[in-house]
Structure formats: structure tokens, C-alpha cells
Amino acid sequence: MPKRTHSESATPLAPTIIPTTTPEHVSKRIKPSAAVTPSPQIPPWTIFTKWTSSAIVKAHPPLPPVLDSALETAALTHSGMRKNLSDPSYEQLEWIGDVYLELIASELISQTFPTLDPGRSSHYREMLVRNSTLGQFAVHYGLDKRANFPAEFGLGGRPNGTKASEKQRAKALGDIFEAYVGAIVRSDPENGMRRAAEWLKMLWGPVLERQIREEESGSRVKDRDLNPKTQLEQMIGGPGVRIEYKDLPSGGKKDRDTNQELFFVGCFLTGWGETSLQLGYGGALGKKEAGQKAAVKAMENAKLMKKFSEKRKALVAARAAQAEKAS
């Protein structure tokens, strides 16, 4: 994910953190931060299990508590509200939480979509961890109201002063959510990762519901088996004929859902009297998928496909006649 920056503010506001209660199933009590916080243990990978459509619940699951009051305060404190540079803020916890979110999302996607190519996997992950998604979660759980933000992040902005843009506000809300995830894990070295993973799995399920149902129905696997590159090769391939896929300039174009830069690949034919003739091109988040789209685009060119497939049929017929004569 791109490196995040944090705006600074010199005008403090009183914290508006609302006390939280620990659910009955959590046996540990919230305690003040110790001098040395134990590092989270590496969890067994069995805690990550695949999504199933039958288990997807539209309602948001309960917010897991942070088991260390000092970490909770830090996670909800904007860096612009510090009195001293040494005071804790959400910056470090956001950096840590960002890594945990990507790890958990990657494992869940890998378990649920075992044959998905890396480009599409990254696309799914970006849908889960982008600021617009995390910011909505932060607002649902009231983290925006509990957080200690500079005045310009409020609805009215700073009186007679600046006002944060919607983009800046969305990023700040995403950062707060990431910091809270980091605090959940850091405050509970034994079970924090497990609690965060179980919570996020439920929270993210509805975001990828369509893709999960497609995986279960086999429709995505079916599409994969009908490989466009193979189809194109069968249509116009032949002896001495090369169909190549080459990188093309992206022109800075980005995916409208994830804002990630797209890869562009062109499909080129050498043979049947042509040299490096471009048949089509495709753009996607991964080169492999972009190449498949280029093959699809080539097959949509009915005029060219008819021309080269007829040459292929003529060659096959001539070779068959020659073989029959020789026998």
C-alpha cells in the first residue's frame, strides 16, 4: 500500500474518547500499559479459514476491545493532538495495523480462492483494505467520535480556519481503523491476532460476497478453464506461427475501484504473411489477466479471425491431402 502521511495541527482539542466495556467472553481485564509490551506470537495458520456464503452475515460483528487502555488511547489520538513529539499517537499503531490487515486479508483470500492469480488476488485485497472501506467501518463503530482529531477534521472544520478535504478525512478514518487493529493485536499477544482475524473475516465477508458465491458455484473456475489464449491459438495457430504477448505503456491509467495502476498487454501475430501484427490489447491489475483480455479482444476482431482461420484450415487440408497421397 502507498506510504501514508499524517497532517499536523498546533491547536489541541480535548479528547472525546468514550469508555468501552469488555465483553463477558473476554477474561482479561483492560490494564494500563506495562513498561515492556510482549510481542504478539506468530499464530498457527489454522486460524485462517475460508469464507463460505452460508456464513456471511450482513450485520456488523461486535467491535473487539483493546486490552490495554494506554494502547487504546494512542490508537485514537491523531498525531496533531500531541503536546510533545514523544507523546504516543496512532502513527506507529497504524503502520503495524496496516501490516496485520494485509496479512489477514491475504490469508483469507488465499484460503477462499486457491487458484486465483496474484493480480486478481491483489485486487480483492485492495477492496478490503482501501481507505474508503476501512473509513466506513470506523464510522460504523463510532471510532471517529471517540478519536481525538484536530478541529479541521470535524464536520464544520476549524472555526475561521482550515477544513480537511473529504480525501484527507477518509484517509484519517482509515488510519484510525488500522491503528485500532494494531492495538487489538498488540494488547493481547496470545490471542490478539486470532480475535482480529475472526472479527475481520465476518466484517469483510459482505464486501466479497459476489466473488465468494462465484467461487462456490464454479463459474470463476469455468471461466479460467476456457483460457482465451488457448482458444486463440486453436483458431489461428499453425506451423511457424507465433502469437506473442508484450507489455504496452499504461499511460498512468488506474482501476476505478482500487485506484491501482493497470497493466496493459498487447497480442501480436507473426505468421500467415504478417510480422508483429497487433491483434488486440487488454488492461488489468495483473499482466496475466491483461494478456487474457488481449486474446479476447483479438478474437472479437471477426474480420481478422476469419482471414487467418481460413488460412489455417487451408494448410490443414493441404497437409491432409498430401498425407493421403503419400499413403
Side-chain angles (χ1 to χ4, degrees):
M1 296 178 67
K3 185 177 180 182
R4 292 173 170 80
T5 58
H6 301 271
S7 58
E8 298 286 335
S9 172
T11 304
L13 283 182
T16 56
I17 297 175
I18 300 172
T20 60
T21 57
T22 305
E24 293 180 0
H25 67 275
V26 179
S27 59
K28 297 182 179 180
R29 297 178 59 83
I30 295 179
K31 56 186 183 303
S33 180
V36 179
T37 303
S39 297
Q41 298 179 2
I42 297 176
W45 301 121
T46 51
I47 73 170
F48 303 106
T49 56
K50 70 177 185 179
W51 278 293
T52 59
S53 60
S54 60
I56 293 176
V57 179
K58 300 294 184 182
H60 291 73
L63 181 69
V66 175
L67 304 184
D68 184 315
S69 58
L71 283 176
E72 182 178 42
T73 299
L76 298 172
T77 301
H78 189 276
S79 56
M81 302 308 296
R82 296 177 299 180
K83 293 181 179 179
N84 303 299
L85 290 177
S86 58
D87 291 345
S89 72
Y90 67 55
E91 282 190 333
Q92 188 181 52
L93 286 170
E94 176 263 325
W95 181 73
I96 293 170
D98 176 41
V99 176
Y100 288 142
L101 281 161
E102 289 220 358
L103 169 63
I104 294 170
S106 298
E107 282 293 338
L108 291 172
I109 290 168
S110 178
Q111 291 290 337
T112 308
F113 310 96
T115 61
L116 197 65
D117 64 81
R120 184 53 55 180
S121 296
S122 296
H123 175 76
Y124 286 6
R125 184 176 65 192
E126 183 62 19
M127 291 174 65
L128 302 179
V129 302
R130 60 191 176 188
N131 283 328
S132 58
T133 300
L134 302 184
Q136 289 176 7
F137 294 154
V139 171
H140 171 80
Y141 287 112
L143 298 182
D144 57 326
K145 294 181 174 61
R146 294 169 56 188
N148 188 8
F149 276 122
E152 58 260 36
F153 286 93
L155 295 177
R158 184 184 298 278
N160 301 317
T162 59
K163 180 179 179 181
S165 67
E166 285 303 313
K167 185 175 181 180
Q168 290 173 320
R169 180 174 169 79
K171 184 185 181 307
L173 290 172
D175 289 348
I176 284 287
F177 188 87
E178 290 173 340
Y180 193 89
V181 170
I184 291 172
V185 179
R186 274 300 178 94
S187 71
D188 186 3
E190 228 177 282
N191 297 306
M193 178 70 85
R194 183 188 301 276
R195 290 197 295 122
E198 291 173 351
W199 168 55
L200 289 168
K201 180 181 178 182
M202 294 178 65
L203 192 60
W204 279 333
V207 179
L208 291 179
E209 183 175 4
R210 178 179 62 81
Q211 291 83 354
I212 294 166
R213 292 188 183 280
E214 286 177 356
E215 182 73 18
E216 290 177 343
S217 68
S219 60
R220 194 193 63 78
V221 175
K222 183 179 179 182
D223 291 341
R224 183 202 67 204
D225 291 341
L226 297 175
N227 188 319
K229 289 184 179 181
T230 302
Q231 292 181 54
L232 181 61
E233 186 71 36
Q234 291 174 348
M235 287 175 67
I236 64 173
V241 176
R242 294 199 318 272
I243 300 175
E244 300 175 294
Y245 296 87
K246 302 176 183 179
D247 294 346
L248 298 176
S250 69
K253 292 185 178 179
K254 296 184 178 182
D255 180 77
R256 63 182 180 181
D257 291 329
T258 65
N259 205 35
Q260 289 180 303
E261 189 167 348
L262 295 169
F263 291 98
F264 283 86
V265 172
C267 175
F268 297 85
L269 171 72
T270 296
W272 306 127
E274 305 288 349
T275 301
S276 294
L277 173 66
Q278 184 170 339
L279 302 176
Y281 72 93
L285 287 165
K287 289 185 180 181
K288 183 177 179 181
E289 186 178 359
Q292 302 285 21
K293 287 186 175 182
V296 170
K297 197 72 175 178
M299 288 186 288
E300 290 175 352
N301 191 329
K303 186 176 179 180
L304 280 180
M305 292 301 102
K306 181 179 179 181
K307 174 184 175 180
F308 297 130
S309 62
E310 285 180 352
K311 288 189 174 187
R312 183 179 187 278
K313 289 176 183 176
L315 177 64
V316 171
R319 289 198 167 189
Q322 187 178 7
E324 186 177 349
K325 185 182 293 186
S327 63

